[in-house]
Each structure stands twice: as C-alpha cells, then as structure tokens.
Amino acid sequence: MNGRHDGRVAVVTGGANGIDQELRRRIAEQLDARFKGDLIGPDHAEYGDRSVVWNAMVERRPGLILRCTSTEDVAAAVTVARANGLSPSVRCGGHGVWGAALSDGGLTIDLSGMRTVTVDTENQLVHADGGCLLGDLDQATAPHGLIVPAGIMSETGVGGLSLGGGIGWFSRKHGLTCDQFVSLQVVLASGEVIEASATRHPELFWALRGGGGNFGVVTRFTLRAHRFGPMMRIGVALHLPEDAAQALREYAAIVPTLPRTVGWHAALKDTMPALPFVPPELVGRRVLMLVAMWLDDAEDPAGAELIERLNAVGRPATKAMTVMPFAARVQRLLDEEFADGHRYYTKEAHVSELADEAIDILVAFWKDMPMGGEVEIIGLGGAITDVDEDATAFSNRDYLLWLNFAMSWDDPANDQDYLDRTRTVVGDLRPWTGRGIYVNMLNFDEMDRVVEAFGGPEKYARLGRVKAQYDPDNFFRMNNNITPVP
Ligand SMILES: Cc1cc2nc3c(=O)[nH]c(=O)nc-3n(C[C@H](O)[C@H](O)[C@H](O)COP(=O)(O)OP(=O)(O)OC[C@H]3O[C@@H](n4cnc5c(N)ncnc54)[C@H](O)[C@@H]3O)c2cc1C
C-alpha cells in the first residue's frame, strides 16, 4: 500500500494483487456451497456500487469482492484468499480516509451483508455484526433508552471506527468505543474463529482495542451500552468570521473547566447548511459553529443552564437550544455534509495548547480557504483519560482538544493545491500540536507516522508480537500496518 501523486491527482494504490477472469472462476469453484454471500466481479450489476468508497480520491478497483453474510462466509473468504496467495482488504462502512477497504485489483472482503444488531437490555449489552454502521447501532439501542458511545454521524462503520478507537459525542462521559468492548468474535488469518475478551486471548483483546484491522476480521462485536435518551439537549451558536477568533479564545479558556456531562465542539465551516435553527441570512455563509451537547438527562435544569451559558460565549450572530432525539436527528445532522463521492482530504492533530497565535492561524486559513469542508475542534478528555495508556492498544489518550481538517471539493484539478494548502497550515500549527495522531485518521501521506499513532516503538513492538502470534505472515496488511515481530 502506498500513496503517490499521478500528475495532479492523488491516487491511492494497492499494489500487485491481481485477480483475472481465470482466478475469479477458480475462486468461485473453490468457495462452492460453503459461501452463501455474493461474488461480485467487474461484470456484476452491483460492482459499481461496491467498488467505490466515501472518498472519491480513492481510485481502486478490486478484482473480486466477496460480500459476506455470516461468520462462516468470512471464514470461507479468508481460507480461499490464503489458498490463492491473496492478501484481502476488509470493508465495513467504507469511511477509511485513504480507501484501505478496497483492494486494487485483488480481493475485498465486504461485510455489508452482516448488519444485524441485537440488544440485551437486561445486561446492557449490544451484539453488532461486523458490517454494522453506527446508524444501525443507534437505531437498535434508542428504543431501549440506551446508547453505545461511537462517532458523530450515522454512516461510519462500527468495524473500522471501533477497532481504531472510536471518538464521538459521548466520549467525554463514557470513553472510546473500544473501551466498551466486552468480547469480539474474530476470524483469524488461519480461518479459525475465536472469541477474544479480557479472559480469552487477553493479549489479542488488548491489541484489538485500538490496533485496527491488523489481527483478523471481527464478525461480531459485543459492546457495553449506557442509559441515555432517547432525547438530547443540544445548543448551537453561530459566529461571523470577524467574531470567530474571540469566540475561540473564550472556548479554549472554558473547555478545561467543563464537567464531563457536556461535550463542546467547534467547526469553522465554509458554508452553513440550512439546518432547522439557522436563520435564512446565515444559510450558505462562512461561520464558526459552536455546538454544546448535554450528555445526561435532557430535562436536567443544570444542563439547560450550562448550555445557555456556553451558547452565549463571544458575540454569536444567532444561537439556539433545543431537545431532539439523538439517534433519529442529532446523529444524522452531519450525514449530508460528508456524503460519499466527493474528493476529501483530512488531517488530524492532537492539540497540546490552543494558544492565541494558533487560533489566529486557524482562523486566517479558514477565512481564505477556497475548498469546502470544515476545520473541527473536538472537545474530548473526560472518560477517555480514565483508561491507562498501557491498558489498550489505543494511544495518546490525554489530549483535551483534537483538531481535524475535513476538506472537500469535486474538481480533480484542485487536488494538488488543496492538499498543499492543508499540509501547510497543519505544518504552521506544529508548535501547538502534540505527540501522536489518531490511527483512524492517518492519511495516505502519513504512513511514516504509524508507529507514533500506535503510541511509539515500545507499544508498536508489543503489537508486533501479538501480530506474530495471530497473523505471522501479515496476511491482513491492507491497513495502517503492524508488522509481525517474532
Ligand atoms: C465522514 C467520516 C466521519 C468520521 N467520523 C468519525 C468519528 O466520529 N469518530 C471516529 O473515531 N472516527 C471517525 N472517522 C474515522 C473513522 O473511524 C475511520 O475512517 C474508520 O476507519 C472508518 O471505518 P469504516 O468501517 O467506515 O471504514 P472501512 O474503510 O470500511 O474500514 C477501514 C478499515 O478498518 C478495518 N475494518 C473495518 N471493519 C473491520 C472488521 N469488522 N474487522 C476487521 N477489520 C475491520 C479494515 O482494516 C479496513 O480497511 C470518520 C471518517 C469519516 C470519513
């Protein structure tokens, strides 16, 4: 796997792993009746749909997609891949930023046929198949007044998000998605199916909490759920460009003082969409949006009071507070803005200090940026930091603010310019950004930061030893890779 620039276009390629007509035929024969899912080759009616992902910058065309419907299908797919010397990619929600979900010419194991969620209300446990999207989880848990802490929109895959960590609206109160793992059913590179938990394969269980798709295909997640909702109290304040820097200064000063029952986040948006609380004169405008979410009982007066106070920070052009269903509304607010099929480039950085100078750099970049998208400042900390750095593979837990540049456009002619601009501003912010990077946001041009993302050489070596035990040949290598250490 590598990233290269093809003229002006950033292309992510998968290397030589080719499947031709003859090999497709042979695989179909070998899979035989064991495999109940679909074999999707270039001639299949659904090939077009299943060979694209969220980011249109990714141009990869698998030689064969095996869309699985069960753990047995996944085991058969792994076995047939091995038999033919193919190293498969694994696809869940397709939101991986550089397109690791798709093999370029080779085999893709597609989990989109495995999206069942069952809720054990008595024990507050949720069982989710390996191909579930976050929206599947929310839809199943909401009727029971439960949530599983996950991401910020409904279409991201539970698989990729949780195995790399999983940050989102509820992280401050309950921690990462991988912190909720109780046990995981995994198809190993050998084709064997095992269950990993704190007591069964504990070192693998440690590695799966943040180590990504390196150790096998997870076909069922058992996750802890928490009482919430279904309603959420949420406050939104919009600030015009001339007021943005002052609002962010106040934001930076207040965030460290907040209780973990609130999440407070900022987005420097190129265009404000027509959301329900936005007055017509601000629709389509460049604004800073501050969003405050009360992570406890929506009717608690303490929540209303705090959200009111946060909404009033700076000189908002408009502000609103409302109570809305979390699963059906809040978790879907951003789906449209980050829809599949546009060209995207993202960069994540942990913020060690949101100093005035850093705010000025951010605001200056945002005011002039010619591309679409937003610069997000995500308020984390809280329960994420309750878990020791060594307790899971997930690393660099102790940052209160995370910065995410989520840039989008459609014309390939702009690729190089927009990539360069984003890289430059992230470079300019270096004095204020910290160690580490979120493994789930590592982009194609950041593969030299994989060790850092996994917490540094010592932790990476421990992960390498787990890899050697469960995947000694590095069969699962289309990912942010951990190489086996004997
Ligand atoms: C629009 C958007 C919003 C995002 N929001 C958030 C957010 O709120 N919080 C957050 O933490 N991250 C977020 N991310 C980052 C996200 O966590 C990663 O991109 C993640 O890899 C996406 O997972 P996926 O299953 O959708 O992607 P895919 O591209 O399908 O999978 C990515 C990789 O994960 C591995 N994988 C996936 N499923 C399995 C499985 N069942 N077993 C084994 N390996 C598997 C494979 O290695 C695969 O290549 C977001 C990304 C995007 C593009």
Side-chain angles (χ1 to χ4, degrees):
M1 136 265 304
N2 58 41
R4 72 181 157 83
H5 290 275
D6 226 11
R8 291 167 305 181
V9 183
V11 181
V12 184
T13 65
N17 212 345
I19 299 183
D20 58 14
Q21 189 63 31
E22 170 53 23
L23 186 49
R24 266 193 295 278
R25 194 195 52 75
R26 202 162 69 230
I27 290 173
E29 219 172 82
Q30 290 166 347
L31 280 172
D32 200 12
R34 274 179 308 159
F35 188 77
K36 305 277 189 283
D38 301 311
L39 284 79
I40 304 177
D43 298 336
H44 193 284
E46 288 182 47
Y47 182 81
D49 263 6
R50 300 315 301 160
S51 62
V52 292
V53 283
W54 170 73
N55 189 353
M57 297 261 280
V58 174
E59 295 172 8
R60 294 171 154 221
R61 296 294 170 261
L64 180 62
I65 299 168
L66 294 179
R67 184 165 56 195
C68 302
T69 57
S70 65
T71 302
E72 292 71 31
D73 277 359
V74 175
V78 165
T79 307
V80 88
R82 261 201 109 79
N84 291 284
L86 299 166
S87 173
S89 69
V90 177
R91 176 186 185 139
C92 178
H95 268 190
V97 294
W98 59 263
L102 294 179
S103 170
D104 194 14
L107 188 73
T108 289
I109 296 178
D110 183 330
L111 304 174
S112 61
M114 301 171 62
R115 289 179 56 184
T116 302
V117 182
T118 53
V119 183
D120 170 354
T121 47
E122 201 181 323
N123 296 302
Q124 278 186 221
L125 294 178
V126 173
H127 306 284
D129 281 358
C132 284
L133 306 185
L134 302 189
D136 300 330
L137 271 187
D138 293 327
Q139 208 181 334
T141 53
H144 305 287
L146 293 170
I147 51 103
V148 174
I152 62 167
M153 60 186 290
S154 76
E155 290 170 358
T156 308
V158 173
L161 175 132
S162 68
L163 292 169
I167 60 157
W169 304 137
F170 288 96
S171 302
R172 273 178 67 74
K173 187 152 180 230
H174 297 299
L176 303 167
T177 314
C178 72
D179 295 335
Q180 320 306 322
F181 287 173
V182 174
S183 67
L184 304 173
Q185 184 182 65
V186 191
V187 177
L188 299 175
S190 61
E192 188 190 348
V193 182
I194 62 156
E195 196 75 27
S197 68
T199 51
R200 287 172 292 174
H201 302 275
E203 193 65 3
L204 175 63
F205 188 59
W206 171 84
L208 287 165
R209 282 174 290 161
N214 272 284
F215 304 97
V217 184
V218 176
T219 47
R220 193 185 56 228
F221 294 85
T222 299
L223 302 136
R224 211 171 295 115
H226 300 268
R227 293 244 156 263
F228 182 81
M231 306 302 279
M232 174 184 256
R233 180 171 295 277
I234 175 170
V236 178
L238 302 183
H239 299 259
L240 296 174
E242 57 272 27
D243 299 320
Q246 182 53 33
L248 284 178
R249 290 193 209 310
E250 292 182 38
Y251 171 86
I254 294 170
V255 162
T257 67
L258 293 175
R260 52 176 72 183
T261 43
V262 74
W264 200 26
H265 317 282
L268 293 153
K269 299 172 90 66
D270 82 304
T271 311
M272 190 65 215
L275 297 178
F277 55 86
V278 184
E281 65 276 15
L282 290 179
V283 172
R285 293 280 300 271
R286 193 165 289 227
V287 292
L288 162 68
M289 177 169 82
L290 294 181
V291 184
M293 291 169 164
W294 182 247
L295 308 177
D296 226 313
D297 180 359
E299 296 310 321
D300 183 348
E305 199 183 306
L306 181 54
I307 301 277
E308 189 79 56
R309 180 160 73 81
L310 298 179
N311 260 359
V313 156
R315 239 167 46 99
T318 189
K319 59 189 165 78
M321 177 166 61
T322 186
V323 169
M324 55 167 76
F326 174 73
R329 295 290 308 284
V330 178
Q331 195 64 335
R332 293 181 187 275
L333 287 174
L334 295 179
D335 286 356
E336 186 110 336
E337 282 182 68
F338 294 99
D340 289 5
H342 300 288
R343 305 181 86 74
Y344 289 104
Y345 183 62
T346 61
K347 267 203 174 300
E348 190 275 331
H350 299 344
V351 181
S352 54
E353 192 198 353
L354 193 56
D356 289 356
E357 212 178 326
I359 290 173
D360 291 341
I361 292 172
L362 271 175
V363 170
F365 168 79
W366 162 66
K367 279 182 177 165
D368 285 346
M369 71 187 196
M371 62 285 239
E374 64 186 30
V375 183
E376 300 153 0
I377 305 172
I378 308 164
L380 292 172
I384 298 178
T385 59
D386 290 348
V387 177
D388 278 352
E389 194 68 18
D390 285 342
T392 64
F394 185 86
S395 296
N396 307 305
R397 285 178 175 265
D398 52 358
Y399 288 90
L400 191 54
L401 295 174
W402 292 29
L403 201 54
N404 188 41
F405 288 78
M407 307 286 104
S408 71
W409 62 95
D410 288 314
D411 185 350
N414 290 320
D415 287 355
Q416 196 62 62
D417 180 27
Y418 293 173
L419 262 60
D420 288 346
R421 285 172 188 261
T422 314
R423 288 175 180 141
T424 301
V425 67
V426 173
D428 293 346
L429 289 165
R430 202 75 199 120
W432 301 280
T433 56
R435 172 178 48 89
I437 179 167
Y438 182 23
V439 73
N440 271 350
M441 296 308 291
L442 267 177
N443 220 321
F444 70 94
D445 51 354
E446 294 173 311
M447 288 301 135
D448 57 337
R449 299 187 68 189
V450 170
V451 175
E452 190 188 345
F454 286 122
E458 210 176 301
K459 213 160 168 184
Y460 186 77
R462 180 173 170 190
L463 285 162
R465 290 191 291 276
V466 183
K467 178 83 171 169
Q469 193 182 344
Y470 290 94
D471 181 14
D473 306 324
N474 205 1
F475 176 74
F476 295 110
R477 59 173 171 271
M478 289 208 203
N479 44 41
N480 296 325
N481 198 234
I482 295 164
T483 47
V485 176

